[in-house]
Amino acid sequence: MYKILIAEDSKPILRNIKELLLTSGLPVQVVHTASNGADALEGVLSREVDILITDIRMPKLDGLAMIEEAKKAKPGLKVILISGYNDFEYTRKAINLQVTDYLLKPVERPALVEVMERVIVQLGEEHRKEFAVLDGILDPSFSQELTLPPGYFRNKKLVLVLHRQFFRGAVSGFLPGPVQELLNLSFAPHSFRVFAANKPNQLLVLTDPSFIDGSVSPMERLEQIGALLEDEGLPASIAGQFIPAAANEIAGCCHSLSGLLGSRISIAKTCLLDAAHPAGQGIEASEDVERIGARFTDKIQKLQKEPFLRQLEEQLLKWGRTNVRVAQLQRFTALLANAFAAHQQDRNGKNDWAAYMAEVQPLFECPSYGEFCSGLLALLEGWFTETQSLNKKGGYELFSLIDAYLKANLYSQVSMNELSAAFHVSPSYISRVVKKYSNSTLMQYYLDLKIAEARKVMQSNPAIKIKELSDALCFYDQHYFSKVFKEYAGCNPSEYKTMLKGG
């Protein structure tokens, strides 16, 4: 809703304009009316005003002089002048004051609506450009549906970043809507806007500088918000920037606060951080993760499975007691993933570090640290088994068995889980073995075998119908079969049959 101030010394004209605006159906609200230039200027300076509609000639303070002063204070203010025909040349001079548009007396509904619609379009475009300051820091799917009141970024904001606490159970309400409603209700009359950040489990919170006054310190505010979220079952670590930030500074503040949280948040206790005084929190003494990781990567290189798993369990228990920082835990798991990937690379020339990390990342969403530890131990035990198997057999024996199994089941549908159960290895291990020896994914390799079989059938039985062949090979959709056939054979089934007839 755009806010309008009307300045007109003629009461009938003023009432007419106000009535026309109220019944126009436009997204506008008249927040103040003034009968002289001085009162109008005071109204602009003391209120949120998007559009000023003013007569060009006003008592106490001339209309153009008043506009000049108002523009100095609020450069983005849109101004619509009201003038008579005799003042037309005078009105043209107002262009130098960046007057947006003008209306001639008597003001009639069609002309007023036309002018207002043009001004509203301009304000909307400027609002979208203003909102672009949040590009790159919000979740794209969230920002597409975001709406903010006009002029929201006109005043500076306090910036907070909330990070949902790790290993504290499944939290479903840690979303912009519920958190914004909770903050607005609990800290009224202060107003909050909450946004989904582009980093998982993070929210960006903006509020006005009045949230911090002489009666309460920034850290006390952080403690109040933290306790509120904890009581609602939404435990979160919080970092705040309590020096008011202009619109173009918000993205930088968000990145800085997010990085601060990322380096300090621990596995058990929430942390509260004031960017101006980022005192150390979490564990008292930071352990050398690189040194600890080196001990474990050495055992991976030497394939010492049992000592590795025993010592890893002990290390995880120790970190649970000392409240290790999540960043250290993430760095440690990355070192282990890199060690397994490097071992594979030594054998096949390909580094699958990203694939290993993709299996680790979901563990950080576990509802408890205990479940994280169990999951990590099970995962790494599986990696060790696979690595030892590759080291002993090179994986080729398993690939040969998989190949034979797929060829024996061309007229059915084999899934990854079925292969995993048949050969007692993990799906990820099967993927890596097939990739290594076929240079393609399992699905690509299986489809290639099916299309090769289809070509053999058409060679031996050219009269077979394409749909019959598609159904027999479990494609179930003739169009999909034709698409896959063309991708692998270079032509569609009908063209292939024609080629066979032509020799």
Side-chain angles (χ1 to χ4, degrees):
M1 192 69 70
Y2 296 100
K3 296 177 173 58
I4 298 177
L5 188 149
I6 307 171
E8 170 60 62
D9 60 336
S10 169
K11 289 185 179 180
I13 295 177
L14 190 150
R15 283 197 301 269
N16 178 53
I17 295 173
K18 185 175 180 180
E19 181 64 26
L20 290 175
L21 288 170
L22 291 174
T23 58
S24 67
L26 297 170
V28 295
Q29 175 188 2
V30 177
V31 294
H32 187 62
T33 60
S35 58
N36 62 71
D39 184 20
L41 180 59
E42 191 279 330
V44 169
L45 298 181
S46 63
R47 293 173 171 79
E48 285 192 14
V49 178
D50 301 299
I51 305 168
L52 168 63
I53 302 176
T54 179
D55 194 343
I56 200 166
R57 297 187 185 277
M58 295 284 288
K60 293 189 179 182
L61 184 62
D62 178 71
L64 296 187
M66 183 265 288
I67 293 169
E68 187 174 6
E69 292 301 315
K71 279 281 192 176
K72 288 179 183 177
K74 297 184 176 181
L77 182 69
K78 301 300 177 188
V79 180
I80 300 171
L81 276 180
I82 306 171
S83 68
Y85 285 106
N86 295 335
D87 293 322
F88 184 67
E89 288 302 320
Y90 191 36
T91 302
R92 292 180 62 182
K93 293 178 183 179
I95 293 173
N96 294 329
L97 295 176
Q98 297 180 325
V99 171
T100 308
D101 220 318
Y102 65 90
L103 290 164
L104 294 175
K105 296 179 182 179
V107 177
E108 296 180 350
R109 180 185 295 274
L112 176 64
V113 170
E114 182 182 348
V115 167
M116 289 301 302
E117 286 178 340
R118 284 200 296 267
V119 173
I120 288 171
V121 168
Q122 289 183 32
L123 284 168
E125 291 174 352
E126 291 175 7
H127 175 57
R128 283 188 288 274
K129 290 179 182 177
E130 189 179 46
F131 180 63
V133 299
L134 299 181
D135 286 350
I137 61 174
L138 299 188
D139 180 343
S141 62
F142 174 82
S143 59
Q144 288 175 0
E145 303 175 359
L146 187 62
T147 59
L148 287 171
Y152 178 74
F153 292 107
R154 184 179 296 142
N155 300 319
K156 292 185 176 183
K157 305 293 179 186
L158 300 182
V159 183
L160 305 174
V161 171
L162 280 54
H163 195 301
R164 182 170 71 82
Q165 192 64 20
F166 289 91
F167 312 130
R168 290 290 298 276
V171 178
S172 59
F174 195 76
L175 298 168
V179 173
Q180 178 173 300
E181 184 179 355
L182 179 64
L183 293 176
N184 284 329
L185 189 63
S186 302
F187 294 102
H190 301 291
S191 177
F192 294 81
R193 288 279 172 171
V194 182
F195 312 87
N198 60 0
K199 291 189 176 181
N201 300 318
Q202 281 193 1
L203 299 177
L204 168 65
V205 180
L206 301 179
T207 189
D208 292 323
S210 60
F211 185 55
I212 301 296
D213 54 32
S215 65
V216 63
S217 70
M219 187 53 68
E220 286 173 327
R221 282 302 198 197
L222 289 176
E223 290 170 354
Q224 290 170 357
I225 295 173
L228 175 66
L229 294 172
E230 187 77 40
D231 289 344
E232 293 294 323
L234 304 172
S237 289
I238 311 169
Q241 167 64 51
F242 295 101
I243 299 173
N248 60 356
E249 298 171 327
I250 290 174
C253 287
C254 184
H255 287 304
S256 176
L257 295 173
S258 178
L260 185 61
L261 277 175
S263 66
R264 303 296 180 88
I265 192 170
S266 61
I267 62 170
K269 299 177 182 177
T270 58
C271 60
L272 306 174
L273 301 167
D274 178 356
H277 308 284
Q281 300 205 20
I283 61 173
E284 294 299 324
S286 177
E287 292 193 80
D288 185 354
V289 173
E290 303 293 331
R291 177 180 56 80
I292 295 171
R295 295 205 313 263
F296 287 93
T297 56
D298 180 65
K299 289 179 171 54
I300 294 171
Q301 291 167 3
K302 295 176 181 177
L303 296 178
Q304 297 174 343
K305 178 180 177 182
E306 298 307 324
F308 173 90
L309 293 173
R310 183 178 65 256
Q311 292 178 28
L312 177 60
E313 185 174 13
E314 293 172 357
Q315 184 64 55
L316 293 173
L317 288 172
K318 177 184 176 183
W319 276 337
R321 292 191 298 270
T322 58
N323 190 29
V324 67
R325 291 180 182 173
V326 174
Q328 292 178 292
L329 199 56
Q330 290 172 329
R331 176 60 184 154
F332 177 71
T333 55
L335 289 172
L336 300 184
N338 187 61
F340 280 104
H343 197 284
Q344 289 282 75
Q345 185 175 9
D346 291 340
R347 303 186 59 81
N348 60 23
K350 297 177 183 178
N351 192 311
D352 289 331
W353 177 81
Y356 281 99
M357 284 305 297
E359 295 183 57
V360 173
Q361 287 303 329
L363 294 176
F364 285 91
E365 297 297 322
C366 285
S368 71
Y369 180 65
E371 290 179 66
F372 168 85
C373 295
S374 300
L376 183 63
L377 286 165
L379 178 64
L380 295 179
E381 183 177 9
W383 287 358
F384 242 115
T385 301
E386 295 165 5
T387 302
Q388 288 175 328
S389 175
L390 277 175
N391 192 63
K392 292 176 182 177
K393 304 177 182 177
Y396 186 73
E397 181 180 338
L398 176 60
F399 174 74
S400 300
L401 294 172
I402 292 172
D403 178 67
Y405 191 94
L406 294 176
K407 288 177 178 176
N409 291 277
L410 293 175
Y411 291 91
S412 59
Q413 196 61 268
V414 176
S415 69
M416 177 71 81
N417 289 336
E418 183 179 337
L419 288 174
S420 176
F423 298 106
H424 308 290
V425 292
S426 70
S428 59
Y429 182 48
I430 289 175
S431 294
R432 285 194 283 272
V433 168
V434 173
K435 183 73 173 178
K436 178 179 179 180
Y437 295 103
S438 72
N439 202 32
S440 62
T441 67
L442 174 66
M443 179 58 69
Q444 290 170 339
Y445 187 68
Y446 192 30
L447 288 175
D448 193 19
L449 293 177
K450 282 178 176 278
I451 298 305
E453 177 69 10
R455 292 164 71 177
K456 289 180 183 177
V457 172
M458 283 190 280
Q459 289 170 11
S460 61
N461 182 14
I464 190 171
K465 294 181 179 179
I466 295 172
K467 187 177 186 314
E468 290 178 4
L469 185 55
S470 169
D471 290 345
L473 291 168
C474 293
F475 279 89
Y476 302 114
D477 185 320
Q478 182 179 336
H479 297 293
Y480 176 62
F481 171 68
S482 297
K483 178 183 177 182
V484 174
F485 190 98
K486 186 172 184 178
E487 182 180 342
Y488 283 82
C491 61
N492 63 42
S494 299
E495 292 169 340
Y496 188 74
K497 292 178 74 173
T498 301
M499 290 166 54
L500 290 175
K501 290 178 182 179

